[in-house]
Amino acid sequence: MLKLEEPISAAEAGRRLGVDDRHLYLRVNDLARALGERWKRNLRNRQRANREQAKAAVKAACRQLIESGQGCSLREVRQIVPGEVLDAVEGVFDLIREAREELG
């Protein structure tokens, strides 16, 4: 399971094997910990990539709004940036604030 292309959590490994994930930690602790660390690392990488994508989209939307003479608020940004991009990250208000600061 450590060699799967897409990392899985220890809980998912337990489901696939038909055992509780706590038993994985009891019986094969090293493997369960390795699965968990790989899963967490992949999760952090996806979150970082999602944030970069959202930051670029928010900055482009703010640039467009400012050039058209509108304010750069969440309401206006949501009309331009797809919901799945914004919903994939935390701190959308911070992204908008950063974009406004960068754009001046």
Side-chain angles (χ1 to χ4, degrees):
M1 292 187 178
L2 281 174
K3 295 182 180 185
L4 291 174
E5 187 174 322
E6 183 69 25
I8 62 170
S9 65
E12 176 61 24
R15 277 191 290 276
R16 290 183 184 186
L17 295 172
V19 297
D20 190 54
D21 59 319
R22 292 176 292 186
H23 290 289
L24 288 178
Y25 283 103
L26 289 173
R27 302 290 182 216
V28 284
N29 191 346
D30 292 339
L31 176 63
R33 286 183 181 274
L35 283 170
E37 286 302 316
R38 185 171 183 241
W39 172 255
K40 288 178 192 176
R41 188 173 42 252
N42 182 53
L43 184 62
R44 284 190 303 269
N45 289 340
R46 282 191 322 211
Q47 287 172 336
R48 191 176 304 118
N50 287 344
R51 185 159 185 85
E52 289 302 316
Q53 179 186 10
K55 184 177 181 177
V58 166
K59 189 173 180 179
C62 283
R63 182 178 293 117
Q64 179 182 347
L65 289 166
I66 290 169
E67 287 174 356
S68 68
Q70 296 179 330
C72 186
S73 68
L74 180 60
R75 182 180 309 152
E76 284 80 20
V77 168
R78 279 204 176 274
Q79 292 176 0
I80 298 172
V81 178
E84 58 270 6
V85 173
L86 293 178
D87 294 341
V89 297
E90 292 181 17
V92 176
F93 289 112
D94 292 333
L95 288 177
I96 293 171
R97 182 183 43 76
E98 290 171 16
R100 284 191 303 218
E101 288 173 358
E102 289 177 14
L103 294 172

